[in-house]
Amino acid sequence: MYQRRTKTGGKTREDNEVPVEHIQEFKNHPFRVRNDEQMSELVKSVSENGILVPVLVRPHPNGHGYEMISGHRRMNAAMVNGQEKIQAIVRELTDDQATIIMVDSNIQRENILPTERGFAYKLKLEAMKHQGKRSDITSTQVGQKLKNKYSIEQLAEDVGNTRTQIQRFIRLTELIEPLRDMVDDLRSDGKKIAFNPAVELSYLSKENQQLVVKNIEGLDLTPSHAQTIRMKELSRENRLDENVIYSIMTEEKANQKEKLSFKMEDINEYFPKNYTPREKSEVILKLLKGWAKRRNKEQER
């Protein structure tokens, strides 16, 4: 049995202890709980001192248990320590209010991944557009209208970023998962893409993004910012396809060793139409190896 305390208007109830099994993840929560060094330190702190700041939850919209708003990392640390209950503040919140509070309570954390920030900005911006209001966990005035400002301008002010940069972070949410992992530097093979090229790639269709990933993995290289800008421009003109992507990505870049490249139209006539750029490259290398062996034998005679 846990104690509850009801505040003004019955909007907030403070529960001394809530069973962690009754708390569910926040829908579309953009921030990952990672088992890194900071989590290890938090687990140790919780073990020694307990949960110093209660988590914030709301009654789950489906009517069963609670939905976590703020405190995912604290609850994870408590669970690692074997705690079955956790101190929590229960607050009645609409979807939009809950989203804004969830983002605000996490966005200033250290080590937020680029795509996490993008999804967080997107969620909060949509919530602000829905209600035309600001929401602050420390304020009872959950409804101050935005005056003479677009939602994105208010968001920029809230998070201390520019409108343009917020839009660029939100663009990352349009990337397919393999590219998101590369911009977040989460790939086990070490393949990664810088922020600016990733933003440009977000304008490509999902199909063309898949082709970019295929070439990154097959050619073991990533496109430069200039190359991704060209891809975006060609995509807008509906002129981007597998051969063009391959051609662009195999061009010599200033930070790469010298490479030999061909224009696809110069060699296409020698291959079946269904051959991919990677398959054509493999055939060429195989033929060159055979030529080199024959040449060596001739020299030995």
Side-chain angles (χ1 to χ4, degrees), residues 89-216:
I89 295 174
V90 180
R91 187 171 180 184
E92 301 281 351
L93 296 165
T94 67
D95 290 346
D96 291 333
Q97 291 169 347
T99 296
I100 291 172
I101 292 173
M102 180 275 293
V103 172
D104 286 349
S105 62
N106 285 279
I107 200 66
Q108 300 303 330
R109 274 173 26 196
E110 295 181 8
N111 302 324
I112 295 178
L113 301 176
T115 64
E116 288 181 333
R117 192 176 295 278
F119 279 108
Y121 286 165
K122 185 176 182 179
L123 281 172
K124 181 172 180 179
L125 185 59
E126 287 301 315
M128 294 171 71
K129 288 178 179 178
H130 290 162
Q131 63 177 195
K133 301 175 182 178
R134 294 185 61 184
S135 177
D136 186 345
I137 192 172
T138 63
S139 172
T140 58
Q141 301 284 332
V142 189
Q144 185 178 13
K145 289 188 176 180
L146 305 175
K147 295 182 179 180
N148 302 320
K149 288 184 181 179
Y150 289 108
S151 297
I152 193 168
E153 293 173 342
Q154 184 62 58
L155 175 58
E157 183 178 312
D158 289 348
V159 300
N161 215 329
T162 66
R163 173 174 177 165
T164 299
Q165 195 67 351
I166 286 173
Q167 291 171 326
R168 287 167 62 76
F169 271 109
I170 292 176
R171 285 301 317 173
L172 298 180
T173 67
E174 300 298 326
L175 292 170
I176 60 175
E177 186 175 359
L179 290 175
R180 294 202 305 268
D181 287 345
M182 288 183 199
V183 75
D184 285 337
D185 194 13
L186 296 177
R187 296 267 300 207
S188 58
D189 58 11
K191 289 183 173 61
K192 56 185 178 181
I193 297 177
F195 179 81
N196 288 333
V199 171
E200 305 301 336
L201 290 175
S202 73
Y203 290 92
L204 273 55
S205 68
K206 297 297 186 286
E207 180 183 0
N208 281 334
Q209 288 185 37
Q210 291 283 6
L211 292 174
V212 171
V213 172
K214 179 180 177 181
N215 280 284
I216 288 174

Side-chain angles (χ1 to χ4, degrees), residues 12 25 34-35 46 54 62 70 72 109 114 117 132 139 151 161 170 192 195 236 246 251 275 291 294 296 300:
T12 302
E25 281 278 329
R34 294 186 288 276
N35 293 318
V46 170
N62 66 16
S70 174
H72 291 76
R109 274 173 26 196
R117 192 176 295 278
S139 172
S151 297
N161 215 329
I170 292 176
K192 56 185 178 181
F195 179 81
R236 285 176 173 172
Y246 177 85
E251 291 173 348
Y275 267 43
W291 172 77
R294 291 194 300 271
N296 289 335
E300 291 173 357

